[in-house]
Amino acid sequence: GFDLVTRTLEISISDETKDIVIEAAVFDTVEEKTVNTAVLYQLSSRNATNPEIIKMPNGELFVFVGIQVVVSSAINDASVVLRSTDNGKNWTTDSNGLVDGSGLKYSAVYDSVVVDNDIYILANATDDVNTTAATSTLGVHILKSIDNGQNWTSVKNLNYETGAKLSEGSIESTKDGFI
C-alpha cells in the first residue's frame, strides 16, 4: 500500500482592525499539522466579504474576495482575485478583481461548477461597484470562462431573467443544464 497525503487549503480573513489580512494555511490531514502558511493580501480601511476558493479545470486555485470600504454603511468596493498555480504554495494578486468582458464588476462569488473543461461561477454585480450600469445588468449572474479564469463572459443574469431579487445562490450542473 501507500500513504495518501491529503492537504486542504483554508482561507482566513481578519478584519478586527478594519484592515484586511488574507492568509492561506495548508493543513496536512495525515500528519494533522499545518505545513504552510502565507499572507496573501493586505489592505487598510476595508472589510472583506464572501471569500470563495475555486479550482479551475487546469488545477489552478483562485480565491475571490469581496472588498468593502469602511464607512457607516458598508459599500462594496469590488473584489480581489488571488491565483495559485502550485496548489497554494505561492499566490499572485489581481487587484482589478472579477470583471467580465463587458466591463461589469462583480463583488462576490458564491459557487462554481466545471462542465467540459469550462468553468461556470455564480457572481453578484451590484450597483455599489457599478454606479453607472443599467439596472438590467445588475444582479446574480452565471459567468463562464473557457480559459481557466483569464476571461469571463456573463451567460445569464438570473435576476433579470427570473424577475427575482436574488443576492446569492448555488449552481449545479445537470444533463439538462443548470439548477
Side-chain angles (χ1 to χ4, degrees), residues 10 16 22 34 41 58 61 76 104 118 135 153 159 171:
E10 181 178 308
E16 293 173 7
I22 301 173
T34 300
Y41 188 77
N58 67 353
L61 297 174
N76 288 326
L104 198 62
D118 297 333
T135 303
T153 303
N159 291 47
I171 187 170

Side-chain angles (χ1 to χ4, degrees), residues 13-19 47:
I13 298 174
S14 171
D15 65 352
E16 293 173 7
T17 61
K18 299 304 177 199
D19 294 340
N47 285 330

Side-chain angles (χ1 to χ4, degrees), residues 100 102-106 123-127 130-141 143 154 156-161:
D100 71 19
S102 72
L104 198 62
K105 296 177 182 179
Y106 296 85
N124 196 4
T126 64
D127 57 0
N130 297 286
T131 55
T132 61
T135 303
S136 62
T137 63
L138 302 176
V140 176
H141 289 244
L143 300 179
S154 177
K156 187 171 285 212
N157 177 337
L158 298 177
N159 291 47
Y160 184 72
E161 297 280 333

Side-chain angles (χ1 to χ4, degrees), residues 75-153:
I75 297 175
N76 288 326
D77 192 29
S79 60
V80 65
V81 179
L82 306 166
R83 177 193 305 256
S84 175
T85 59
D86 57 8
N87 286 323
K89 292 179 187 159
N90 297 290
W91 294 87
T92 58
T93 304
D94 178 359
S95 58
N96 291 327
L98 179 58
V99 181
D100 71 19
S102 72
L104 198 62
K105 296 177 182 179
Y106 296 85
S107 56
V109 173
Y110 302 109
D111 207 355
S112 66
V113 65
V114 174
V115 178
D116 298 329
N117 285 324
D118 297 333
I119 187 152
Y120 296 83
I121 62 174
L122 259 165
N124 196 4
T126 64
D127 57 0
D128 296 334
V129 295
N130 297 286
T131 55
T132 61
T135 303
S136 62
T137 63
L138 302 176
V140 176
H141 289 244
I142 298 174
L143 300 179
K144 176 183 180 179
S145 177
I146 61 172
D147 57 7
N148 294 295
Q150 297 296 322
N151 298 287
W152 296 94
T153 303

Side-chain angles (χ1 to χ4, degrees), residues 29-83:
T29 57
V30 172
E31 296 292 322
E32 296 185 350
K33 66 179 183 178
T34 300
V35 293
N36 184 30
T37 60
V39 173
L40 305 181
Y41 188 77
Q42 292 182 321
L43 188 63
S44 297
S45 300
R46 302 284 196 271
N47 285 330
T49 62
N50 301 82
E52 185 73 25
I53 301 170
I54 295 176
K55 189 170 190 174
M56 295 295 158
N58 67 353
E60 290 181 7
L61 297 174
F62 275 50
V63 176
F64 296 93
V65 181
I67 306 296
Q68 295 179 331
V69 177
V70 179
V71 292
S72 58
S73 62
I75 297 175
N76 288 326
D77 192 29
S79 60
V80 65
V81 179
L82 306 166
R83 177 193 305 256

